[in-house]
Amino acid sequence: MVQEGANITLMCSASGTPTPSITWRREDHMNINLNKTYRVTEYNGASLQLARVSRMDMAAYLCIARNGVPPIVSKRIQVSVDFPPMMSIPHQLVGAPLGYSITLECTIEAHPPALTYWTRGQGVMLHQGRKYHITERPGEVSYRTHMKLTIRSLRKDDDYGPYKCVAKNSRGETEGLIKLYETEPPTPAPTNPPSYLDKLFKDFHYKTTNSVAGKGQGDKLENQSEPGDEDEEILNPDDLEETEDLDQLEGTRQREDRRRLEDDIRRERGRPLQEEQGHYFTNIFNVATGVEAWIPVQLVVLGVATLLYNFLL
């Protein structure tokens, strides 16, 4: 047993025929720190000198003797390094809203093991109960301890303020300060607003799917959808350009179909396209009535016009 910072020498001797050799090794298979700059996995020699030992040198050391004749013999020496408590606090300033629970933490390193406790305010010691929940958990190495203090149902006048984590052993004493302050309760995160492209697509989709078949009232397409019934989709600018190209192509197809229909009607009448331009009124009348004998109809109209002219005179 040695105090941290001191120098120690471990001695070991063995006898046999032939004379055995001595090897030193740490039981935990870590490197042996001969000094601050020189480390080895194994050390050969009867005496092992360690300079300015620290808590990291605390381990069991094996002295192993062998001479080629079984069995190999070893002895175990436990090196214990004493040092005053040291403390680390991950969060020295902690905030929590009223009515919530909060956990304060600190980590202590000490050897021999330290006496630990929590205090608040002017040094009032805290005890396990309904208000406070205290836990201690051993660390990765034997001289380290993790401490936690959970405070339930925070109240404004009683629970906010300074808290201390205290550790004491035969080599010294230390404490860490944690300040607990009041914060506003958390609010739900706002939902993301729709992007510009989403809004543009919805407006475009509503206009195209709710178009009117004719100019009369109530003559809507059979597949017309109500606002809000459209499927949720996301378009990029390339999709919008492709939609506009499709609309232009559809309009061109409609105009071509209209021209084909007019040509078919003219062919059924058996008249050239040039002659029909001089008889616009007669053609319109024939299309409406379905009468193909246009000459008698023209004579009747001429006679009625003559009678009206004579009557007016």
Side-chain angles (χ1 to χ4, degrees), residues 214-253:
K215 293 186 178 180
Q217 295 181 355
D219 297 336
K220 295 185 178 180
L221 294 175
E222 293 181 358
N223 295 328
Q224 175 182 346
S225 60
E226 294 297 330
D229 294 341
E230 60 271 13
D231 296 335
E232 292 293 335
E233 294 179 338
I234 298 178
L235 289 182
N236 53 40
D238 295 338
D239 296 332
L240 295 178
E241 293 178 0
E242 182 178 355
T243 305
E244 293 177 357
D245 295 340
L246 291 175
D247 292 343
Q248 294 177 0
L249 180 59
E250 185 67 23
T252 303
R253 291 177 179 176

Side-chain angles (χ1 to χ4, degrees), residues 62-83:
L62 298 178
C63 170
I64 304 171
R66 57 169 66 88
N67 65 353
V69 179
I72 298 174
V73 180
S74 67
K75 292 295 182 178
R76 183 176 185 269
I77 302 176
Q78 178 69 41
V79 176
S80 178
V81 180
D82 291 350
F83 58 93

Side-chain angles (χ1 to χ4, degrees), residues 232-285:
E232 292 293 335
E233 294 179 338
I234 298 178
L235 289 182
N236 53 40
D238 295 338
D239 296 332
L240 295 178
E241 293 178 0
E242 182 178 355
T243 305
E244 293 177 357
D245 295 340
L246 291 175
D247 292 343
Q248 294 177 0
L249 180 59
E250 185 67 23
T252 303
R253 291 177 179 176
Q254 292 178 357
R255 289 193 295 271
E256 292 177 356
D257 293 341
R258 191 180 303 112
R259 293 193 190 98
R260 292 194 190 98
L261 180 60
E262 292 176 355
D263 293 343
D264 293 340
I265 294 175
R266 290 169 184 147
R267 292 192 190 97
E268 290 176 359
R269 297 195 188 111
R271 294 192 54 82
L273 185 62
Q274 292 82 3
E275 293 182 5
E276 291 192 35
Q277 294 179 354
H279 304 285
Y280 178 78
F281 175 77
T282 305
N283 289 341
I284 294 298
F285 183 79

